[in-house]
Amino acid sequence: MSDNLGGKVLIRNSIYNLLGLGLPLIVAVYAIPKLIESLGVDQFGILTIIWAVVSYFSLFDLGFGRALTQKLSFYLGCNKLDRIPLLITTAIICLFIMSIVAGVLLILATPLFERIESGVSSEELFSTLLAMSIAMPAVILTAGFRGILESLEKFKIINLIRLPMGIFTFIGPLIAIYLWGPYISNVAWGLVFGRYFTLFAHV
């Protein structure tokens, strides 16, 4: 009976994860041609670099998110609830420090981006990188809070957050362009809003 129940839970969680990761890709098929048309090839190239950098820096938690999930699951299983507050506090402080380091590194990398023949002005590029550096705490801390939810097997909640924010990753830039104009810095600041909203939702 327990094996059957465990199988159903596994299938349900797999469906949640599939929807959370898969549906934004469908939206991307529609959004990306629109973004190329609105931003132009040069600015869209910078946007793809931003997406890649943010995805890379989401790994800058150095495994804290996964370790937090594993340790919390152990404490919950052993009913050692008194150890949980200190564990979470320590992990979040470490993640915040690493996010600040990541943001500083991103700003210091501005000269590397300026070497790219993108047709984007230095001011526009700096504003874009500043936005992404400010987003780093939200990106990295989200990994920690997601780890807490995963330890509680709250996959439905995780994907109820992941789905709209995954869609916002592609639709958000179109909204920013519509409201403020076809500039990569506007897109970047719009994505910052999305990242902090995601963090708030996890908290």
Side-chain angles (χ1 to χ4, degrees):
M1 184 71 176
S2 60
D3 290 342
N4 188 33
L5 180 61
K8 289 181 179 179
V9 171
L10 179 61
I11 292 172
R12 185 176 70 242
N13 290 339
S14 297
I15 291 173
Y16 289 149
N17 288 330
L18 181 62
L19 291 174
L21 294 171
L23 289 180
L25 294 179
I26 297 175
V27 175
V29 172
Y30 163 80
I32 287 177
K34 297 285 186 181
L35 288 170
I36 295 174
E37 181 182 349
S38 300
L39 292 173
V41 175
D42 288 341
Q43 290 196 108
F44 180 77
I46 297 295
L47 178 58
T48 57
I49 293 174
I50 289 172
W51 282 335
V53 167
V54 169
S55 297
Y56 175 80
F57 273 105
S58 66
L59 304 176
F60 205 74
D61 69 335
L62 303 178
F64 264 82
R66 295 299 178 189
L68 187 57
T69 300
Q70 184 179 19
K71 202 67 176 177
L72 277 175
S73 298
F74 174 76
Y75 284 160
L76 289 168
C78 297
N79 202 31
K80 296 180 179 179
L81 304 184
D82 58 309
R83 299 189 182 184
I84 289 177
L86 179 60
L87 173 65
I88 291 177
T89 301
T90 303
I92 295 303
I93 290 174
C94 290
L95 287 170
F96 180 72
I97 292 172
M98 286 188 287
S99 72
I100 297 300
V101 173
V104 171
L105 289 176
L106 196 54
I107 287 295
L108 293 177
T110 301
L112 297 178
F113 282 86
E114 289 178 343
R115 293 178 184 176
I116 301 174
E117 296 294 335
S118 61
V120 179
S121 68
S122 298
E123 293 79 8
E124 186 79 5
L125 189 57
F126 178 77
S127 178
T128 300
L129 292 176
L130 178 62
M132 289 297 96
S133 68
I134 290 174
M136 283 301 105
V139 171
I140 294 176
L141 285 173
T142 295
F145 286 105
R146 185 185 300 120
I148 296 171
L149 291 173
E150 287 177 347
S151 71
L152 298 170
E153 298 185 356
K154 300 296 184 180
F155 296 104
K156 182 178 181 180
I157 294 175
I158 291 170
N159 285 289
L160 282 174
I161 299 171
R162 177 184 285 161
L163 177 58
M165 295 319 300
I167 292 173
F168 182 80
T169 299
F170 300 103
I171 295 298
L174 291 176
I175 295 173
I177 290 169
Y178 176 78
L179 292 176
W180 302 306
Y183 301 102
I184 189 62
S185 61
N186 294 337
V187 170
W189 286 105
L191 291 175
V192 171
F193 168 80
R195 288 292 176 175
Y196 275 96
F197 184 86
T198 302
L199 174 61
F200 175 78
H202 278 83
V203 172

